[in-house]
Amino acid sequence: MNEIQTHFRAYADVLFAALAEDENLILQLKGEDSLFLRWNRGKIRQTTQVRQFEVNWTFQKDGRQLELSEQLTLNLESDARRGREHVERLRTQAKTLAASHQLAPVVPAQTSVRIGEVPPRDPARIAAQISAGAAGLDLIGFWCSGPVVRAVAHNRGLFLFESRDAYFFDYSIFTVSEAGENKAVKGFFSEPEWDSDGWAERWGQQLSRQKEDLELLRRPSRRLAPGSYRVYLAPGAVNSILETLKGGGFSALSYRHGQSPLKDLVEERRALSPLVSWTEDFSLGFAPRFNRYGEVPPERVPLIHDGRFSGLLVSGKTAREFGIESNGAEDAGWETEMPRSFAMAAGDLPADQALRRLETGVWINEVHYTNFSDLKTARITGMTRYACFWVENGQKIAPIEDLRFDVSVYDFFGEHLEALTRERQDFADVGTYFLRMWSGTRVPGLLAREFGFTL
Amino acid sequence: MSQIPFSVATDFAADLPELNAVRREIADATDFVQIRFHRELQQIRAVRNDRLEAPKLVRHQGAMVEVMCEGVLSYAGTADVSRAGLRRALEEARTSARALKPYALHQFPRDVRPPTAGTYESPGMATLKDLSLERVDEILGDANRALNRGPDITQRHAMAELVESETWTISNAGEDRRQRFALWVVDASASAERDGEVQTRSLNGAHARCSQGGADVLDRDELVAACEQAGEEARQLLTAENCPEGNFDLILAPDQMLLQIHESIGHPLELDRILGDERNYAGWSFVKLEDFGHLRYGSELLNVSFDPTLRHEYASYGYDDCGATASREMLIENGILQRGLGSLESQQRAGVPGVANFRSSSWNRAPIDRMANLNVEPGTTRLADMIAQVEDGLMMASNRSWSIDDYRDKFQFGCEIGYRIREGRVVGLVKNPNYRGRTLDFWRALAAVGDRQSFAAYGSPFCGKGEPSQVIRVGHASPHCLFRKIACFGRGS
């Protein structure tokens, strides 16, 4: 990543030198040098390596603002030539604009550089290690490794740069039940270092533990009638539902545009269970602590505290438009601010007691394709997926046929919420749309009653 | 003062100065080598509440290098399209292909990459130069004002996006294809609010007005009229009754059929899903390979085509990314499943017929099986006659909520607006309309298909799939369709 840091500095210097006094240019760099291995039936279906470094411009001239995005070639001569052409184009377009009501902040100058280590990534060795552990299993998954980078610079002296190296293997193992149904368990494997001592053993041990659930999944499924059930949502299911809620639920811009699913909570007409506290927490280290404009957020931004509204995520651009204070949130570019390092407070239920406390009901390991069915009432619909079980007397009796749920956040995070687990699980964002995400979430499991299934 | 052109496209060849040198270099390679150059130039202009938002320009360019060594394919993508940059990517792809051969799921014959040469161009591209940036802003300003239908309207948004996309694919086996696209999204919405109730009405659902074409796509008068109607309907929905709950006869407008086709026909018919490639992410399919040629997917009225040849539809093209020539194919005929959405690679693996649909979102992704234009063919029923057939029912339009399971069976969809139908007549609006069902039951309940007059094409820029993930542009056209006894409900049900 030293190469890209040097290039980004030089590229920025060339462009900053071309600016007039009434112009500002904020450059955000997002990049990766990735290896993707796509697995199916224990073999590799597709192999792709991608080196890409996208630079997002916020250009201001005399109070006008335009945005531009392009990919760097890492050839300074061609990147600088194209960059100077962009400056000219944006100057021309700026003449057609009125003064912007969304002018992004030009934050005070500072310099910070954090560079992670780059471990080796020999594709053949990765393939050999994964294959050896998964012999005999119907394994399908996604290996992703290589460095990622985020950086921001502006022509008033700011330079922030952070890179890290990371890998994960996000996978499923399928089996066929005694009744001929396809069933699967979900898995995720990632460690701070690739190929450290004992890596292969730990990978094998994780698969062995999952084989226990696979055995249970071979029992014939229980078909449950639609209705309300007592449920335990494992941390993976809670995380998936929160991913939907993050789409506007904590964004000041979404709220101002009338598109917040938590409008009634923000306006204190509704409350959640006192057990629920949600915080943007950069002390967890899930994401770089600066946004596309170089704003550095507080280490902790309380969003919901003890079930009541505490605050929204506000980017500098939203702050400017609505005359409110920024807390350095990321302007995600989808008309919303999104959490990047999100934590849900733990409860007091020991995770190993969750089955016993559930007593009789549905154990939901994961959910699929969640979406709002009604914003006003914060209703979310989705499907159960992966290793979900019918439980009686604290014992997993049988897998279930997957069910559709349609429930309000105000119910299952509200008066129907009975307990949260003491232990929490971390989820790195495995998203790779356009380029690799860099964010994460820490959540507990959740015990609730009257969880509504509809189909 | 001279006006600024909205189009920003320049000669693609000028951005690839070493192309001929690269051609010569790969010609000597012993392995199969394909290079797909891709450039997208995107302009987005938007007006919210009478104020122009910060304009956005996007310029993405790069190349995906593909190598086949002894039947094993491997890809490496780079934004550096110089000879040196491509040489490095080629070496990475070649090294991986060789090293991973023992772990490869499949080894392919060379004919999965036909040596196709040719060109494709969206209709009307020559007219783009006649459209100025100032005119686009003026039209969007007019549209934004037209959304304002009184004090209850709190948010008004109008936007236009033009993507000028170009791919140029060469290989050492004779491939040489250039495809140029002008891809539009025109979107507008109004939100009305009173006493804590918020209702939003857009033109045809968010980002559904997608098409290929020239300057005439941005038709000021048509857009303003549509915005006036959207603003009016948002206001009226505030006081409309909640959608009733129960089993009703349901008419879906073409702008909701787009979503119904996409989720419950398109995705389950993708051969790579059926082959299990997506099981860890998007999911599998209830359709099995042995179902092709036999499965009764819908009633006899259901005819579904894969048609990338409709010139103005959003996902038209001449060739897919492996070189298959695009052609119209029937996937479902008279209700019987005939053909899957599978590329030459998937056809080779599955042994069933497919289509030219091996598509990547950009230079930084390998192609996978995707939808393109997937359409329900028109029937013979006029919309008025269809409504007249409904004793007690609903009509729904413009998608706002969608969810379906990982086998593409149990779905729940919501719309922006509903119309109550009694005794063969529309008697009023209903708000918060939703319906749910199971895929085969639903399509088998198809009771009438609208005629060509009600046939309309929409699409989406955001069909997500794959690991690594990619969004692809899809087009869906359909007439109004009537379904019998569908579970419908409103808010709070």
Side-chain angles (χ1 to χ4, degrees):
Chain A
M1 284 294 110
N2 280 323
E3 179 195 3
I4 182 63
Q5 188 200 166
T6 303
H7 182 82
F8 183 55
R9 274 186 191 276
Y11 171 78
D13 287 345
V14 168
L15 297 182
F16 295 160
L19 298 177
E21 186 49 39
D22 67 342
E23 293 170 341
N24 288 315
L25 180 58
I26 308 167
L27 299 173
Q28 180 203 32
L29 178 76
K30 298 165 81 171
E32 64 180 309
D33 189 353
S34 295
L35 169 68
F36 302 123
L37 300 176
R38 194 166 194 212
W39 295 70
N40 186 8
R41 302 191 189 283
K43 296 278 192 176
I44 295 175
R45 162 67 187 111
Q46 221 166 26
T47 305
T48 310
Q49 294 169 83
V50 176
R51 184 176 296 108
Q52 60 175 338
F53 299 96
E54 174 185 295
V55 61
N56 297 309
W57 294 32
T58 304
F59 176 81
Q60 298 170 344
K61 182 174 182 60
D62 190 23
R64 278 76 180 153
Q65 180 165 295
L66 299 103
E67 296 171 7
L68 182 143
S69 170
E70 81 157 345
Q71 282 144 336
L72 299 177
T73 67
L74 303 196
N75 176 311
L76 186 59
E77 189 184 332
S78 76
D79 286 340
R81 184 183 65 248
R82 190 166 288 134
R84 283 190 289 260
E85 290 169 7
H86 290 324
V87 170
E88 286 306 316
R89 185 188 298 275
L90 295 179
R91 278 177 180 152
T92 305
Q93 286 207 10
K95 291 175 189 164
T96 69
L97 304 177
S100 174
H101 57 289
Q102 303 168 309
L103 213 58
V106 180
V107 301
Q110 64 163 310
T111 299
S112 169
V113 175
R114 298 174 65 188
I115 296 182
E117 290 296 309
V118 181
R121 53 166 206 188
D122 172 13
R125 184 159 173 77
I126 294 164
Q129 299 262 32
I130 297 286
S131 295
L137 296 175
D138 183 2
L139 176 98
I140 174 161
F142 178 49
W143 171 277
C144 175
S145 61
V148 290
V149 61
R150 298 288 187 273
V152 181
H154 68 45
N155 59 318
R156 309 290 173 183
L158 180 81
F159 189 89
L160 305 173
F161 186 99
E162 187 163 343
S163 72
R164 68 162 185 175
D165 203 288
Y167 78 88
F168 65 79
F169 186 51
D170 181 77
Y171 65 94
S172 312
I173 306 170
F174 276 74
T175 190
V176 179
S177 76
E178 293 165 11
E181 308 156 297
N182 297 309
K183 292 289 177 184
V185 295
K186 181 77 180 170
F188 182 83
F189 196 87
S190 182
E191 291 189 344
E193 289 179 40
W194 153 243
D195 211 10
S196 57
D197 288 346
W199 190 98
E201 288 75 12
R202 289 189 295 279
W203 163 236
Q205 286 161 3
Q206 175 162 318
L207 292 176
S208 294
R209 287 192 296 274
Q210 293 190 298
K211 286 175 185 169
E212 293 171 18
D213 262 349
L214 279 173
E215 281 305 313
L216 269 175
L217 287 170
R218 292 197 179 101
R219 297 179 188 173
S221 291
R222 179 75 61 96
R223 176 178 293 180
L224 302 179
S228 290
Y229 290 84
R230 189 173 171 76
V231 296
Y232 173 74
L233 298 176
V238 175
N239 179 51
S240 294
I241 289 174
L242 283 171
E243 285 301 305
T244 295
L245 197 56
K246 287 177 188 175
F250 307 108
S251 159
L253 187 62
S254 289
Y255 172 71
R256 296 277 173 165
H257 284 172
Q259 298 299 318
S260 171
L262 298 180
K263 180 178 167 65
D264 285 354
L265 186 65
V266 173
E267 295 175 0
E268 300 182 341
R269 284 190 291 273
R270 304 286 302 261
L272 302 177
S273 160
L275 295 174
V276 174
S277 290
W278 290 323
T279 307
E280 177 81 319
D281 186 352
F282 285 94
S283 72
L284 300 174
F286 289 155
R289 196 175 154 192
F290 54 84
N291 69 4
R292 64 174 295 168
Y293 309 120
E295 293 179 283
V296 177
E299 187 168 68
R300 299 181 81 252
V301 180
L303 303 168
I304 303 295
H305 185 68
D306 294 345
R308 300 204 169 269
F309 171 70
S310 188
L312 290 168
L313 297 172
V314 188
S315 76
K317 191 171 153 186
T318 300
R320 174 67 180 241
E321 181 171 0
F322 296 101
I324 54 180
E325 192 175 336
S326 170
N327 52 26
E330 186 63 292
D331 172 7
W334 292 83
E335 298 183 10
T336 188
E337 289 101 345
M338 296 275 279
R340 290 168 283 169
S341 192
F342 186 86
M344 181 170 181
D348 59 5
L349 172 66
D352 61 6
Q353 298 292 310
L355 256 180
R356 192 180 60 78
R357 278 285 300 276
L358 175 60
E359 198 175 274
T360 297
V362 186
W363 179 281
I364 302 173
N365 243 337
E366 258 294 352
V367 296
H368 173 73
Y369 215 141
T370 52
N371 202 347
F372 289 107
S373 57
D374 186 50
L375 275 185
K376 164 74 178 166
T377 52
R379 291 186 77 84
I380 292 177
T381 186
M383 290 292 298
T384 61
R385 189 179 184 186
Y386 290 113
C388 298
F389 296 97
W390 174 246
V391 174
E392 287 177 7
N393 301 318
Q395 298 290 320
K396 291 177 179 174
I397 301 298
I400 60 165
E401 286 188 9
D402 281 325
L403 287 164
R404 171 161 297 285
F405 61 86
D406 191 4
V407 290
S408 170
V409 165
Y410 293 116
D411 291 333
F412 72 91
F413 281 132
E415 60 188 27
H416 296 165
L417 174 60
E418 291 192 0
L420 299 171
T421 57
R422 198 170 57 192
E423 297 81 4
R424 291 182 291 176
Q425 198 171 326
D426 293 348
F427 294 89
D429 189 337
V430 297
T432 49
Y433 283 109
F434 308 105
L435 45 69
R436 280 162 63 191
M437 300 295 108
W438 188 348
S439 63
T441 303
R442 176 171 290 175
V443 291
L446 179 157
L447 192 68
R449 64 177 183 276
E450 297 179 49
F451 195 81
F453 294 108
T454 57
L455 188 64
Chain B
M1 193 174 98
S2 67
Q3 299 215 309
I4 301 167
F6 190 49
S7 164
V8 292
T10 54
D11 180 14
F12 193 21
D15 284 337
L16 307 171
E18 297 186 286
L19 181 64
N20 286 331
V22 170
R23 277 184 202 274
R24 285 193 295 274
E25 196 157 315
I26 64 171
D28 297 333
T30 51
D31 302 314
F32 169 79
V33 179
Q34 183 205 74
I35 304 177
R36 172 170 44 86
F37 299 96
H38 190 177
R39 184 185 71 179
E40 286 210 348
L41 305 164
Q42 180 184 34
Q43 282 247 50
I44 304 173
R45 309 290 285 202
V47 177
R48 180 179 292 278
N49 296 348
D50 298 320
R51 293 195 292 195
L52 189 69
E53 305 216 298
K56 289 180 186 165
L57 270 165
V58 178
R59 183 189 187 285
H60 283 178
Q61 178 178 305
M64 180 59 87
V65 177
E66 178 187 279
V67 173
M68 185 193 284
C69 297
E70 298 178 54
V72 177
L73 288 155
S74 186
Y75 299 85
T78 176
D80 181 1
V81 296
S82 69
R83 188 158 47 154
L86 293 167
R87 192 181 289 153
R88 177 175 166 171
L90 172 57
E91 206 44 51
E92 284 181 348
R94 181 182 282 137
T95 302
S96 292
R98 289 181 177 161
L100 295 174
K101 187 184 166 201
Y103 309 98
L105 180 63
H106 281 277
Q107 289 171 256
F108 292 102
R110 282 285 290 272
D111 60 10
V112 297
R113 295 291 182 274
T116 319
T119 60
Y120 175 87
E121 187 173 301
S122 290
M125 290 192 81
T127 66
L128 289 173
K129 66 180 186 326
D130 301 331
L131 185 63
S132 72
L133 196 143
E134 290 87 342
R135 178 62 180 152
V136 172
D137 289 349
E138 184 180 54
I139 292 172
L140 292 176
D142 290 348
N144 201 257
R145 276 187 292 280
L147 291 163
N148 194 355
R149 310 306 289 174
D152 290 332
I153 303 292
T154 55
Q155 291 291 326
R156 291 170 287 123
H157 189 250
M159 65 82 77
E161 170 194 290
L162 171 64
V163 176
E164 294 167 281
S165 175
E166 191 155 357
T167 59
W168 194 341
T169 305
I170 61 172
S171 77
N172 60 354
E175 291 175 75
D176 194 345
R177 299 183 295 276
R178 284 188 78 169
Q179 303 197 82
R180 297 177 62 222
F181 304 91
L183 301 150
W184 287 89
V185 179
V186 181
D187 199 33
S189 64
S191 293
E193 185 170 357
R194 192 192 303 167
D195 301 331
E197 171 80 24
V198 179
Q199 289 289 331
T200 297
R201 190 75 180 97
S202 65
L203 297 188
N204 298 96
H207 301 99
R209 280 200 174 198
C210 307
S211 60
Q212 293 187 26
D216 59 339
V217 169
L218 209 56
D219 179 338
R220 187 258 174 209
D221 292 345
E222 190 278 335
L223 183 62
V224 165
C227 286
E228 285 175 353
Q229 184 180 342
E232 193 60 38
E233 288 174 345
R235 197 181 61 75
Q236 290 173 6
L237 282 169
L238 287 176
T239 53
E241 286 187 13
N242 199 31
C243 180
E245 181 172 6
N247 289 334
F248 292 98
D249 289 351
L250 174 64
I251 296 174
L252 295 182
D255 61 11
Q256 172 60 18
M257 283 296 293
L258 105 87
L259 195 279
Q260 187 71 51
I261 296 166
H262 182 90
E263 301 288 10
S264 69
I265 292 181
H267 282 306
L269 297 194
E270 290 162 347
L271 288 187
D272 62 345
R273 282 184 78 116
I274 297 170
L275 289 163
D277 290 353
E278 286 284 330
R279 288 181 295 165
N280 185 55
Y281 181 56
W284 212 341
S285 174
F286 71 88
V287 175
K288 297 177 174 56
L289 290 176
E290 55 268 31
D291 290 335
F292 290 98
H294 309 287
L295 178 68
R296 172 153 292 288
Y297 208 97
S299 78
E300 289 188 351
L301 298 172
L302 183 63
N303 289 286
V304 179
S305 64
F306 170 86
D307 194 354
T309 69
L310 288 174
R311 298 280 286 151
H312 287 275
E313 203 169 350
Y314 196 39
S316 293
Y317 48 84
Y319 312 90
D320 74 1
D321 286 341
C322 71
T325 302
S327 61
R328 180 176 186 272
E329 306 289 350
M330 292 303 295
L331 305 183
I332 298 173
E333 284 186 289
N334 303 322
I336 304 296
L337 179 64
Q338 301 293 352
R339 184 181 287 261
L341 290 167
S343 60
L344 292 177
E345 282 189 22
S346 293
Q347 292 170 48
Q348 226 272 330
R349 293 165 66 193
V352 298
V355 296
N357 71 329
F358 210 40
R359 305 175 66 200
S360 58
S361 57
S362 187
W363 64 266
N364 56 13
R365 292 290 179 264
I368 53 178
D369 289 351
R370 302 307 302 250
M371 284 172 249
N373 296 330
L374 193 62
N375 305 332
V376 167
E377 294 293 302
T380 56
T381 308
R382 292 189 317 134
L383 178 58
D385 295 339
M386 191 180 292
I387 293 170
Q389 291 180 32
V390 176
E391 190 65 23
D392 182 17
L394 292 157
M395 180 159 63
M396 299 185 193
S398 306
N399 181 263
R400 78 170 190 189
S401 172
W402 61 98
S403 175
I404 190 165
D405 70 38
D406 53 325
Y407 286 80
R408 300 279 146 175
D409 179 14
K410 294 180 177 179
F411 63 80
Q412 177 175 317
F413 301 141
C415 292
E416 291 180 359
I417 191 166
Y419 304 86
R420 191 76 171 94
I421 303 172
R422 288 185 197 276
E423 297 174 351
R425 290 189 312 117
V426 174
V427 295
L429 293 183
V430 294
K431 64 185 175 187
N432 311 316
N434 299 273
Y435 64 101
R436 62 171 79 96
R438 301 187 67 164
T439 291
L440 293 183
D441 294 342
F442 185 84
W443 289 108
R444 289 170 182 173
L446 177 65
V449 178
D451 61 10
R452 192 158 285 283
Q453 247 188 338
S454 79
F455 187 75
Y458 299 98
S460 171
F462 303 123
C463 174
K465 185 181 168 184
E467 292 175 305
S469 302
Q470 37 185 325
V471 291
I472 205 87
R473 300 181 179 97
V474 296
H476 299 303
S478 173
H480 285 75
C481 288
L482 168 64
F483 302 86
R484 297 289 187 196
K485 302 293 175 221
I486 304 301
C488 301
F489 60 99
R491 174 177 293 161
S493 300

